[in-house]
């Protein structure tokens, strides 16, 4: 492997790929799944029968929108800040309810993808013509730092889709501490969390019969080919998900099916793969009430409410900041 470091990295993607492919074991963060093609594939994943997470959370929001709306509302209005807004399908359940109740609020969708924000803004304009929308492009950390100064009225921070599961427990605590530090006395944090359950159900969600999740994972290789002048052959890698019911961790890998060497020309990098060597691309941690309570306590948050689907397969938790 050529480990001559390029003089500079033009993008965060370039830097992370260089570090990930020169480490052992190899890894690339799942946040880089979401280029334009990745966004499109993830929309398809959310519609798959095996991918229960979206439907379960959608049902919770439909069934409990009244109680959730009552918890969010404030006499002088509120700012609704959503981290990782995506297509807004689930959030629109709440937005529609808020419009019907004539709540005074501003919606601030946050996403790293400019493409996603443009699509969401367009659909909101059509479906909610009078809605006050202020899109925020950037990483969660950067946007949260800016939004910590929003003190004039109540902030409600949304984090749907069990995205907290893409972090290790240690990373989750660090992330939730950033959330907590951006909150003031009346602010709230509303988070969706996939629960531990029958292992095969979880495994099937990351290995659908139509192969869409496989295409989503392999799109990372295509993205490196396009943006970093690499020569990966996706056909020589297999998608491989695992789930450990003891720890509640689901992981996805790309596994090289042969010994091969890949050139990543934009990084002046040559990467050798042994047969069956992996690139770790995703982690999805599953939780229960006990582990969520531990996360919250470590981060300076306390639970203010929770709502579950009828099978206790998925939950949405409401938190406030402690010590204020």
């Amino acid at each position: 492997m050529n480990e001559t470091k390029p003089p500079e990295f033009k993008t965060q993607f370039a830097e992370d790929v260089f570090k990930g492919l020169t480490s052992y074991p190899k890894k690339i963060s799942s946040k880089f799944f979401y280029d334009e093609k990745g966004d499109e594939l993830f929309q398809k994943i959310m519609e798959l029968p095996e991918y229960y997470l979206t439907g379960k959370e959608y049902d919770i929001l439909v069934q409990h929108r009244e109680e959730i709306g009552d918890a969010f509302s404030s006499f002088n209005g509120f700012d609704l800040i959503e981290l990782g807004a995506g297509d807004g399908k689930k959030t629109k359940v709440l937005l529609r309810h808020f419009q019907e109740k004539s709540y005074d609020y501003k919606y601030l969708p946050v996403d790293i993808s400019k493409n996603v924000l443009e699509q969401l803004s367009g659909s909101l304009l059509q479906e909610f013509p009078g809605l006050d929308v202020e899109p925020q492009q950037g990483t969660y950390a950067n946007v949260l730092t800016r939004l910590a100064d929003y003190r004039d009225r109540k902030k409600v921070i949304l984090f749907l889709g069990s995205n907290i599961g893409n972090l290790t427990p240690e990373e989750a605590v660090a992330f939730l501490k950033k959330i907590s530090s951006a909150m003031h006395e009346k602010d709230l944090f509303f988070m969706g969390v996939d629960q531990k359950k029958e292992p095969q159900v979880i495994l099937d969600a990351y290995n659908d019969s139509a192969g869409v999740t496989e295409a989503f994972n392999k799109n990372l290789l295509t993205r490196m080919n396009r943006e970093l002048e690499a020569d990966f052959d996706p056909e020589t890698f297999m998608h491989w998900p695992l789930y450990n019911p003891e720890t509640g961790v689901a992981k996805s890998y790309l596994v090289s099916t042969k010994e091969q060497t890949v050139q990543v020309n934009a990084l002046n990098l040559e990467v050798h793969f042994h047969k069956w060597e992996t690139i770790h691309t995703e982690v999805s941690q599953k939780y229960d009430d006990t582990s969520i309570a531990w996360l919250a306590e470590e981060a300076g948050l306390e639970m203010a409410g929770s709502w579950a689907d009828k099978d206790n397969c998925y939950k949405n938790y409401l938190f406030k900041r402690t010590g204020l």
Side-chain angles (χ1 to χ4, degrees):
M1 182 184 295
N2 181 355
E3 297 197 18
T4 304
K5 186 172 181 178
E8 62 180 49
F9 297 108
K10 293 182 179 178
T11 63
Q12 188 65 51
F13 181 51
E15 182 174 355
D16 283 25
V17 165
F18 184 88
K19 290 177 179 176
L21 293 184
T22 56
S23 64
Y24 184 81
K26 296 176 174 67
K27 59 185 178 181
I28 299 175
S29 170
S30 60
K31 68 185 176 185
F32 297 114
F33 281 146
Y34 301 96
D35 62 352
E36 189 170 350
K37 180 64 175 178
D39 292 339
E40 178 188 317
L41 286 168
F42 190 65
Q43 297 306 316
K44 291 181 180 178
I45 286 171
M46 290 193 293
E47 296 170 3
L48 293 168
E50 295 98 332
Y51 195 78
Y52 58 84
L53 290 83
T54 303
K56 295 291 187 185
E57 187 165 43
Y58 186 88
D59 290 345
I60 290 170
L61 298 180
V62 169
Q63 292 294 322
H64 301 286
R65 62 188 183 278
E66 191 88 34
E67 300 162 55
I68 294 168
D70 288 346
F72 287 6
S73 63
S74 177
F75 75 94
N76 67 336
F78 61 97
D79 294 315
L80 187 69
I81 301 160
E82 181 171 14
L83 306 179
D87 68 351
K89 177 183 176 182
K90 291 174 291 189
T91 312
K92 287 174 182 176
V93 171
L94 298 178
L95 299 183
R96 199 163 287 111
H97 177 69
F98 298 164
Q99 298 285 80
E100 289 169 0
K101 291 287 187 177
S102 300
Y103 285 166
D104 172 19
Y105 72 102
K106 179 193 290 185
Y107 177 47
L108 297 91
V110 179
D111 209 285
I112 198 168
S113 169
K114 182 182 178 184
N115 175 57
V116 162
L117 287 175
E118 287 175 349
Q119 289 185 358
L120 177 59
S121 298
S123 70
L124 290 172
L125 191 63
Q126 286 187 324
E127 296 177 50
F128 305 92
L131 180 62
D132 187 1
V133 184
E134 192 178 302
Q136 306 281 318
Q137 185 184 1
T139 64
Y140 299 159
N142 290 341
V143 173
L144 281 171
T145 300
R146 296 201 305 265
L147 297 181
D149 294 330
Y150 276 55
R151 294 171 175 264
D152 293 342
R153 58 182 186 173
K154 183 179 186 177
K155 291 196 300 291
V156 180
I157 302 171
L158 299 187
F159 195 48
L160 304 180
S162 200
N163 288 318
I164 193 70
N166 295 138
L167 307 174
T168 66
E170 294 75 21
E171 290 169 340
V173 168
F175 172 73
L176 293 177
K177 282 181 177 178
K178 290 177 182 174
I179 297 281
S180 177
S181 67
M183 294 169 65
H184 304 296
E185 185 179 1
K186 295 180 180 179
D187 295 344
L188 295 171
F189 176 53
F190 186 76
M191 178 171 70
V193 182
D194 195 18
Q195 304 290 292
K196 293 180 180 178
K197 62 182 70 62
E198 204 274 309
Q200 193 62 52
V201 172
I202 293 174
L203 198 54
D204 288 348
Y206 298 93
N207 197 26
D208 64 277
S209 56
V212 183
T213 312
E214 178 184 6
F216 182 61
N217 199 6
K218 286 187 176 183
N219 185 56
L220 263 178
L221 304 176
T222 307
R223 181 176 182 181
M224 287 188 281
N225 287 350
R226 184 181 65 254
E227 296 184 22
L228 302 177
E229 301 171 40
D231 61 357
F232 282 98
D233 178 2
E235 294 303 310
T236 63
F237 287 83
M238 62 189 294
H239 165 65
W240 194 259
L242 297 171
Y243 176 62
N244 183 337
E246 181 181 38
T247 59
V249 178
K251 292 183 177 182
S252 291
Y253 298 88
L254 290 164
V255 185
S256 178
T257 59
K258 67 176 188 177
E259 184 161 356
Q260 58 183 307
T261 299
V262 175
Q263 305 293 333
V264 188
N265 293 311
L267 301 180
N268 188 30
L269 183 65
E270 183 177 276
V271 187
H272 183 75
F273 288 89
H274 297 290
K275 190 175 184 179
W276 310 125
E277 189 174 356
T278 61
I279 307 173
H280 179 205
T281 56
E282 185 178 24
V283 61
S284 185
Q285 176 75 48
K286 310 305 175 184
Y287 287 99
D288 54 23
D289 285 346
T290 302
S291 49
I292 285 295
W294 174 81
L295 276 186
E297 184 178 1
E298 290 291 306
L301 297 167
E302 65 177 283
M303 204 180 299
S306 67
W307 296 268
D309 69 285
K310 60 183 176 61
D311 300 316
N312 272 320
C313 187
Y314 192 97
K315 280 192 174 183
N316 286 88
Y317 295 90
L318 187 67
F319 302 94
K320 59 184 180 180
R321 186 175 171 184
T322 56
L324 291 176

